[in-house]
């Protein structure tokens, strides 16, 4: 049983998959109860956030002029800056809520990893970015939990099979 929760925990730490994949895998695939799966996935998804905020920008800036990793680092810096500027222009003073919704709506490419990188590139303060990502992760977890249990209709039926 502990092994199954460790699967959920580590799956929720993986970029792109995050808790959006960990909750359906835990509840539907592994047959775990919803609440402990939700808590495990939220904790696993949030562990990388402070580390990403503090170091991702530095690593990308450092790697931009390196031979093997220069192009990907430049790509992610450019994409992150453009996405962050677009988010900031749309949100204005409501950047905290925009980041929370960006992380919380479970669409491809909008998770805690991407949101934290955008917050870092926008020079959003540490506390606000972590709290916005936490709120977004909690929201995404509720949405994925409802979808996994079939409450959301068609999406739930797809996950349940």
């Amino acid at each position: 049983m502990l092994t199954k929760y460790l699967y959920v925990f580590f799956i929720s730490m993986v970029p792109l998959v995050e808790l959006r994949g960990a909750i359906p895998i835990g509840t539907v695939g592994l047959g775990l109860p919803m609440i402990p799966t939700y808590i495990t996935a939220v904790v696993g998804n949030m562990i990388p956030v402070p580390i990403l905020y503090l170091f991702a920008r530095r690593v990308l800036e450092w790697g931009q002029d390196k031979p093997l990793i220069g192009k990907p680092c430049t790509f992610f810096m450019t994409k992150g800056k453009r996405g962050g500027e677009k988010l900031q222009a749309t949100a204005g003073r409501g950047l905290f809520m925009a980041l929370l919704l960006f992380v919380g709506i479970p669409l491809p490419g909008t998770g805690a990893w991407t949101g934290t990188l955008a917050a870092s590139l926008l020079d959003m303060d540490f506390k606000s970015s972590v709290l916005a990502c936490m709120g977004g992760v909690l929201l995404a977890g509720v949405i994925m939990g409802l979808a996994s249990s079939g409450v959301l209709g068609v999406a739930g039926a797809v996950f349940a099979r």
Side-chain angles (χ1 to χ4, degrees), residues 2-161:
L2 179 62
T3 306
K4 292 180 180 181
Y5 284 109
L6 286 173
Y7 287 148
V8 171
F9 180 78
F10 287 117
I11 289 168
S12 67
M13 294 175 93
V14 174
L16 299 175
V17 178
E18 301 184 27
L19 126 155
R20 299 140 200 265
I23 288 177
I25 289 171
T27 57
V28 178
L30 300 174
L32 296 171
M34 179 60 70
I35 301 299
T37 300
Y38 174 83
I39 293 167
T40 303
V42 166
V43 171
N45 201 175
M46 283 305 296
I47 285 178
V49 168
I51 298 163
L52 285 168
Y53 181 86
L54 295 171
F55 298 109
R57 181 179 186 166
R58 292 178 190 166
V59 169
L60 291 175
E61 287 173 348
W62 169 83
Q64 284 184 316
D65 63 346
K66 303 299 182 260
L68 293 174
I69 61 171
K71 286 183 181 180
C73 287
T74 302
F75 171 79
F76 286 119
M77 282 292 289
T78 305
K79 187 169 177 66
K81 281 183 183 176
R82 264 193 258 133
E85 290 166 357
K86 194 181 296 184
L87 183 65
Q88 193 169 30
T90 305
R93 291 176 24 114
L95 187 58
F96 177 88
M97 189 55 69
L99 181 61
L100 187 147
L101 292 173
F102 178 80
V103 173
I105 305 300
L107 295 171
T110 63
W113 283 72
T114 309
T116 304
L117 179 58
S120 174
L121 294 174
L122 286 172
D123 292 322
M124 195 172 169
D125 68 287
F126 180 77
K127 183 179 176 183
S128 295
S129 58
V130 170
L131 289 174
C133 283
M134 175 63 115
V137 166
L138 292 170
L139 175 61
V142 168
I143 293 169
M144 292 310 299
L146 293 172
S148 296
S149 62
V151 173
L152 298 180
V154 175
V158 170
F159 285 117
R161 292 201 171 124

